[in-house]
Amino acid sequence: MSDQVQPALSDEVIVYRKRRGVELLLLLLAQSFGFAGYVITDLNLYGELPSNIILVAAVWYGMGIAVHLVVRFILPYADPLILPCVFLLNGLGLAMIYRIDQIPEPVRTDSSTQMIWTALGLVLFCLVAVLLRDHRRLQRYPYLMFIGGLVLLLLPLAPFIGWKSGGAQIWIKVAGYSFQPAEVAKIMLAIAFAAYFYEKREVLALAGRRVLGIELPRARDLGPIMVMWLACLAVMVFQNDLGTSLLFFGLFTVMIYIATERPAWPILAGILFVGAALAAYKFTNHVGRRVSAWLDPFSDYDKNLQIISAQFGFAWGGLFGRGWGLGRPGLTPLAKSDMIAAALGEEIGVLGLMAIIMIYGLLIARGFKTALTAPDGFGKLLAAGLSFTFALQVFAIIGGVTRLLPLTGLTTPFMSQGGSSMVANWIIVGILMVISHRARMPQAATAAPQEMSALDDATAVISR
Amino acid sequence: MNGPIRKVTIFVSLLLAALLVNMTWISVARTESLNDDSRNRRVRDAEFSRNRGAILVGNEAIAESVPRTGRFPYVRTYPKPELWSSVTGWYSYNYARSGLEASFNQELAGTSSEQSIGRVVDLLTGRQSSGANIQTTLNADAQAAAVKALGDKRGAVVAMDYTTGEILALVSTPTYDPNRLATVDLSEAQTAWNELLNAADEPLKGRATREVYPPGSTFKLVTAAAALEDGMVPDTMVDAPDSLRLPNSTRSMGNSTNCGGDRITIEQALKTSCNTAFGNLGLDLGGDKLRKQAEAFGFNQDPTIDVAAAKSRFPTELDEAQTALTAIGQYDVAASPLQIVQVAAAIANDGVMMKPYLVSSVTNRDLTVLSSTTPQRQGQPLSASSAKLLQQMMVTVVEDGTGSPARISGLTIGGKTGTAQTAPDRPPYAWFVGYAEDPSVAVVAFVENADVARDDISGGKLAAPIFRAVVEALR
């Protein structure tokens, strides 16, 4: 912790070690897990090495090295653990999708598509690294970001392009390509929240009236918050998507809490969320069904087939798993996307899935560490918010698959099949790396973080 | 802002810890029941793909797993299906198992706890583990004779060595072909299942052990045993009127045979299967003594045999009329053929009842014995002296009584016929239970229906020849 405590104003300079060599080593090691999964799948299923093993190895490790080189030259001070964690998760996800592809008949090629999405994600990651350079540039247009994010979030409700799949209307389909706009909205809203809350943190923390022991901000500052709450409600009710709504509401709550340092916010948000969730449980079919599928799935075998077969998969895998290619993950519906954790649990065991959760934990920890070390408040907020989205997604989806909570249709970051999620999450990693680079680059230690806001404070602090 | 960030970090680590704890909970508490769930296709597929052990009669496999190619690497095969299906039961993907396939499933599949060391060795040496073989006590000749003698009649035969309790034959007819249910062609199995399930003569019923029927006059052995145990002797005289008015009832009991007098000995009553004499005997003894004797033979108790078996019933509350009816094996008495053969076996074995068993040993593929069965006493329902007297009476039944069709020259045979009334619109059941001294075997033959005129149905005419065929096969 000592290096996080900023020393008193002095000429001291904190210099973090770059550790790029370590990163490369860890990266190659991490990539090998996914690669091994791919090779073992073929060995177990066909008794021979995959036919295009050389090509896959070249592309897969080549991507890792390429990204590493970009980081080495553009973001040399960025945290060296983030990339290996993400590559480990991404590789295991690809290998599992490849494994499920092998289930006849016919053999599918979703893993190749996923590989292309991964490559696209990496390209966007590099673009973020090259073009953004300084995350504080994102601070400039909070309202634009906010509105853009909201529009994206609610876009699937629009006629003609909105598309319903698996009960939830969270897709848009344009010219044959489908996309989950919420994934991009996640980034835009995180940026918007970070900028807005950072700018208004004192107002939000101090101004306003006391109601029931909670200091409420003034109505006009509360405006965006109410809009956000209503938007989450709309997502929950009209898009039938408890997961996304939980994700955004959680993100929003955590960021306003960090910005204002007022525990009243999460308490208030918690009450609102519970209220909304109870209402959804009572008045919508969708949520009620998920809750009953969670509490007692076996009461209706056919309806809860998905969650039941996931449980059977876990049981069949046991502690150590059946091994790559030796389980029956194909028996679980949506094994490649929502239920990929169940497929992994079946083939690499409860222990394997626990290890994956630990890797997510490590990634999230590095994200929060970035937030702690970030020199500017906006960066802190953004890094913490983005890391929290990972945490919430992992918790909600793996918790849902393992019956800790009702199942919500969130993606498992970097693992589940799907382009929008993959691309968006790689952009998030890019932003985190940029903040981390900024946070760890040598700088004169100062007691106060530097202010970079281009905007003048539009709102004056009324009372202290 | 670092304070809240740290708090959020702690919150997040609690969330992830909850995931880990929950997964631990899954693997500790839920795995077993999930893997036992019959709807878990993963488990079912794996089991169906296994190299199951064989069920053996002598050196001959009556059920074995044969390698094949395709989705399931083995298929369960029954080389003589019609002969042995009553014992092996079936083994199918969608319709579970029955018979020995069910009761010795763990041993056959190789998943019993005795086999766990072998499984670990197989795992370490990379060998495909396989199940154990089970060796039965059955006798192929006796089984074949029973199946042949029953023919296309619905019925059952159980033969056991009364000195050891070894089951030598166990047949329920009509038999069926379990290969049709064990096939890997699941739609074919479904067709076969529906056919067998809906067949009018109900081939899937386990008539030998799993069904109970009114035992009719064969129950008079139990009544006679109770009388002897109560101090009466074969020469004790009982009233044998043509018609016995049932106490406190408007109905009366009649005789279907000539009892040979109005007042006859118990021996004579057994020989002629005289209903009214045994009705009076029952009234003399009372319901409690009858019940005690029946329960000593195994009624109202869970049967202990290697396959699923039904509990035979003796009513708990009896008024006098019911007692009289019960004494001749009517009213609510119900017994499985297995139970009836156990009664005869205990009498033949001088009062000692041996525990019946079907499986003599379980051996690994490398012939190491995992478990073997030794004959076990199950109880002594009647004294040796009473048993000897009763044996004598049963021999008389065969020598010049209703059981004469069971006679085999050169053998000492004791037996008892039975014709049990069922519903008025249904033909009566024909029973014959008896024993031979050398070979020491007790056999019950039960015929539920046959295509003969109703008046011709009697234990002596229908069931005794089946008994004789089985005993002759064992000579």
Side-chain angles (χ1 to χ4, degrees):
Chain A
M1 281 257 176
S2 61
D3 58 2
Q4 288 164 22
V5 178
Q6 299 195 336
L9 187 58
S10 70
D11 293 335
E12 281 177 65
V13 169
I14 303 169
V15 181
Y16 288 93
R17 291 175 65 190
K18 292 182 189 166
R19 296 276 192 175
R20 293 272 76 85
V22 172
E23 180 189 62
L24 179 60
L25 217 69
L26 284 176
L27 191 60
L28 295 176
L29 184 72
Q31 286 190 295
S32 301
F33 279 90
F35 188 69
Y38 159 72
V39 173
I40 295 171
T41 296
D42 264 40
L43 285 178
N44 275 338
L45 283 177
Y46 311 117
E48 54 189 32
L49 292 172
S51 54
N52 51 359
I53 181 170
I54 309 269
L55 177 72
V56 169
V59 170
W60 177 235
Y61 287 104
M63 288 197 311
I65 292 167
V67 170
H68 167 76
L69 288 176
V70 170
V71 170
R72 181 173 280 256
F73 291 112
I74 311 272
L75 307 170
Y77 286 98
D79 191 303
L81 261 179
I82 294 178
L83 267 192
C85 287
V86 176
F87 263 98
L88 179 57
L89 297 166
N90 199 336
L92 287 176
L94 276 169
M96 184 43 74
I97 293 171
Y98 172 78
R99 184 267 170 275
I100 300 171
D101 275 347
Q102 306 308 307
I103 295 169
E105 309 260 316
V107 172
R108 298 175 61 98
T109 55
D110 289 330
S111 52
S112 319
T113 318
Q114 186 76 350
M115 191 77 160
I116 294 169
W117 282 113
T118 304
L120 194 64
L122 291 172
V123 168
L124 286 170
F125 169 87
C126 296
L127 281 179
V128 168
V130 173
L131 297 178
L132 188 58
R133 301 305 277 271
D134 189 337
H135 60 274
R136 282 168 293 190
R137 290 165 67 178
L138 295 173
Q139 206 174 345
R140 278 180 214 159
Y141 314 104
Y143 293 99
L144 218 57
M145 286 279 188
F146 184 63
I147 290 165
L150 273 188
V151 167
L152 279 176
L153 186 58
L154 301 177
L155 204 53
L157 293 176
F160 305 118
I161 53 170
W163 180 47
K164 201 169 180 167
S165 165
Q169 186 155 3
I170 50 172
W171 297 80
I172 53 167
K173 208 169 195 176
V174 179
Y177 291 93
S178 59
F179 197 77
Q180 245 176 310
E183 293 289 346
V184 179
K186 186 168 73 183
I187 306 172
M188 295 180 74
L189 284 176
I191 295 169
F193 291 159
Y196 181 78
F197 292 149
Y198 177 58
E199 192 190 314
K200 301 272 172 142
R201 65 188 185 282
E202 288 173 332
V203 186
L204 291 171
L206 298 170
R209 275 178 302 189
R210 269 180 92 88
V211 176
L212 298 172
I214 296 168
E215 282 182 40
L216 287 181
R218 295 177 309 184
R220 61 173 160 148
D221 296 313
L222 209 54
I225 295 165
M226 292 316 291
V227 170
M228 195 56 224
W229 188 68
L230 289 174
C232 286
L233 212 60
V235 168
M236 185 152 71
V237 173
F238 298 112
Q239 299 186 5
N240 263 343
D241 191 2
L242 191 60
T244 306
S245 143
L246 168 80
L247 178 66
F248 282 97
F249 203 63
L251 172 69
F252 162 83
T253 307
V254 157
M255 289 180 78
I256 198 170
Y257 167 60
I258 294 174
T260 60
E261 310 198 5
R262 286 285 178 277
W265 282 110
I267 294 170
L268 185 68
I271 293 167
L272 284 177
F273 185 80
V274 169
L278 281 179
Y281 175 66
K282 259 199 136 125
F283 299 116
T284 71
N285 269 335
H286 194 66
V287 177
R289 215 169 53 221
R290 294 220 163 177
V291 171
S292 74
W294 164 53
L295 292 175
D296 187 14
F298 290 93
S299 61
D300 189 340
Y301 184 79
D302 292 324
K303 223 178 227 170
N304 303 328
L305 178 71
Q306 188 182 31
I307 190 73
I308 289 175
S309 31
Q311 303 311 302
F312 283 154
F314 279 123
W316 187 230
L319 213 47
F320 300 102
R322 291 271 140 187
W324 287 94
L326 301 178
R328 306 282 304 280
L331 293 179
T332 310
L334 295 182
K336 282 178 194 172
S337 51
D338 287 16
M339 288 288 169
I340 197 157
L344 286 159
E346 181 171 354
E347 299 221 322
I348 61 177
V350 163
L351 284 181
L353 191 54
M354 281 179 158
I356 289 175
I357 294 171
M358 297 299 282
I359 299 293
Y360 274 119
L362 197 54
L363 172 64
I364 294 160
R366 298 316 288 189
F368 278 117
K369 167 113 194 240
T370 300
L372 284 172
T373 45
D376 65 307
F378 171 72
K380 274 182 193 299
L381 264 179
L382 187 55
L386 292 176
S387 309
F388 189 71
T389 60
F390 282 148
L392 211 52
Q393 283 190 75
V394 170
F395 177 68
I397 188 66
I398 298 187
V401 172
T402 56
R403 274 187 67 205
L404 179 64
L405 6 144
L407 190 63
T408 50
L410 280 172
T411 57
T412 321
F414 305 108
M415 296 188 121
S416 8
Q417 178 194 17
S420 10
S421 155
M422 180 64 86
V423 169
N425 285 327
W426 270 109
I427 294 176
I428 291 177
V429 173
I431 296 173
L432 273 181
M433 292 279 278
V434 169
I435 300 175
S436 158
H437 168 67
R438 283 278 146 187
R440 290 161 53 100
M441 70 195 291
Q443 48 200 297
T446 50
Q450 60 271 55
E451 299 287 342
M452 267 285 291
S453 176
L455 301 161
D456 290 323
D457 259 0
T459 311
V461 174
I462 291 171
S463 65
R464 266 190 194 268
Chain B
M1 288 187 227
N2 281 0
I5 292 178
R6 291 209 176 90
K7 283 179 192 136
V8 170
T9 312
I10 291 168
F11 174 66
V12 165
S13 42
L14 288 178
L15 293 187
L16 296 186
L19 284 183
L20 297 179
V21 169
N22 184 50
M23 300 204 55
T24 312
W25 173 250
I26 285 184
S27 63
V28 172
R30 295 214 195 117
T31 298
E32 214 176 300
S33 65
L34 286 168
N35 274 337
D36 286 343
D37 196 308
S38 62
R39 293 169 295 194
N40 190 342
R41 253 187 75 189
R42 292 166 172 92
V43 177
R44 231 177 345 148
D45 283 3
E47 189 158 283
F48 210 64
S49 303
R50 218 170 258 152
N51 185 6
R52 257 169 110 77
I55 302 176
L56 301 167
V57 171
N59 288 324
E60 197 189 347
I62 60 173
E64 59 187 329
S65 284
V66 176
R68 63 184 286 282
T69 53
R71 182 172 155 211
F72 302 109
Y74 292 92
V75 61
R76 196 68 172 159
T77 308
Y78 303 88
K80 290 178 182 164
E82 312 282 350
L83 185 57
W84 296 109
S85 62
S86 323
V87 183
T88 58
W90 67 82
Y91 175 75
S92 92
Y93 182 82
N94 277 324
Y95 309 104
R97 317 166 260 275
S98 72
L100 285 177
E101 294 277 25
S103 49
F104 281 78
N105 182 44
Q106 288 203 330
E107 286 80 0
L108 289 166
T111 54
S112 74
S113 50
E114 287 94 354
Q115 288 148 287
S116 54
I117 293 171
R119 277 203 302 279
V120 172
V121 172
D122 285 341
L123 191 71
L124 294 178
T125 54
R127 224 175 6 174
Q128 174 99 43
S129 62
S130 58
N133 296 331
I134 61 176
Q135 181 73 48
T136 63
T137 57
L138 293 157
N139 180 300
D141 294 336
Q143 182 87 2
V147 171
K148 186 161 173 259
L150 277 164
D152 51 8
K153 297 187 271 289
R154 274 188 275 160
V157 165
V158 181
M160 72 185 277
D161 182 332
Y162 54 78
T163 59
T164 57
E166 288 174 314
I167 302 282
L168 302 173
L170 189 129
V171 179
S172 162
T173 51
T175 62
Y176 57 95
D177 184 353
N179 286 314
R180 295 182 65 202
L181 297 175
T183 175
V184 293
D185 183 338
L186 301 182
S187 64
E188 212 168 272
Q190 188 184 353
T191 314
W193 175 258
N194 289 334
E195 244 172 62
L196 290 169
L197 203 63
N198 297 324
D201 50 4
E202 300 173 293
L204 296 183
K205 259 190 181 173
R207 293 182 165 84
T209 60
R210 297 191 65 172
E211 301 290 327
V212 289
Y213 306 93
S217 304
T218 57
F219 192 76
K220 288 171 185 162
L221 290 175
V222 178
T223 309
L228 295 177
E229 286 289 279
D230 198 44
M232 299 186 202
V233 290
D235 290 334
T236 304
M237 302 296 283
V238 283
D239 282 334
D242 283 342
S243 174
L244 172 68
R245 178 69 182 269
L246 296 175
N248 304 324
S249 137
T250 54
R251 294 175 56 196
S252 54
M253 177 194 287
N255 288 319
S256 49
T257 56
N258 178 9
C259 294
D262 283 348
R263 194 165 167 78
I264 55 174
T265 63
I266 297 178
E267 181 163 24
Q268 172 76 6
L270 193 74
K271 192 173 88 181
T272 57
S273 199
C274 182
N275 285 345
T276 52
F278 271 93
N280 275 325
L281 209 50
L283 290 173
D284 286 354
L285 291 164
D288 287 342
K289 278 181 187 160
L290 279 182
R291 182 180 312 108
K292 207 171 139 241
Q293 186 61 57
E295 285 179 352
F297 276 115
F299 281 81
N300 291 342
Q301 282 165 39
D302 284 319
T304 54
I305 186 176
D306 293 326
V307 290
K311 194 190 277 192
S312 297
R313 288 194 309 264
F314 187 93
T316 43
E317 291 287 330
L318 291 174
D319 63 23
E320 285 201 301
Q322 291 162 348
T323 306
L325 283 170
T326 300
I328 62 163
Q330 295 293 159
Y331 184 54
D332 263 355
V333 195
S336 63
L338 175 71
Q339 173 63 62
I340 295 299
V341 80
Q342 275 187 276
V343 170
I347 295 166
N349 199 33
D350 297 340
V352 176
M353 193 157 77
M354 300 303 289
K355 186 180 160 192
Y357 64 99
L358 260 171
V359 171
S360 55
S361 63
V362 179
T363 50
N364 252 338
R365 292 290 169 94
D366 58 8
L367 298 180
T368 51
V369 176
L370 290 170
S371 69
S372 62
T373 319
T374 44
Q376 249 182 304
R377 265 173 73 121
Q378 202 174 10
Q380 179 147 18
L382 71 169
S383 67
S385 54
S386 303
K388 289 225 165 74
L389 293 173
L390 203 45
Q391 285 169 21
Q392 199 48 55
M393 287 156 70
M394 286 172 76
V395 170
T396 320
V397 170
V398 173
E399 272 172 5
D400 54 358
T402 53
S404 54
R407 262 186 302 208
I408 302 174
S409 61
L411 284 191
T412 310
I413 307 275
K416 180 72 197 83
T417 57
T419 310
Q421 306 295 332
T422 53
D425 54 329
R426 290 185 55 184
Y429 297 151
W431 289 88
F432 186 89
V433 64
Y435 70 94
E437 255 172 28
D438 183 32
S440 53
V441 59
V443 180
V444 65
F446 165 73
V447 177
E448 193 178 322
N449 85 323
D451 288 330
V452 291
R454 190 181 168 115
D455 289 345
D456 285 347
I457 295 178
S458 72
K461 278 190 192 140
L462 267 180
I466 301 171
F467 166 89
R468 201 178 55 202
V470 174
V471 173
E472 275 183 334
L474 283 166
R475 264 181 105 175

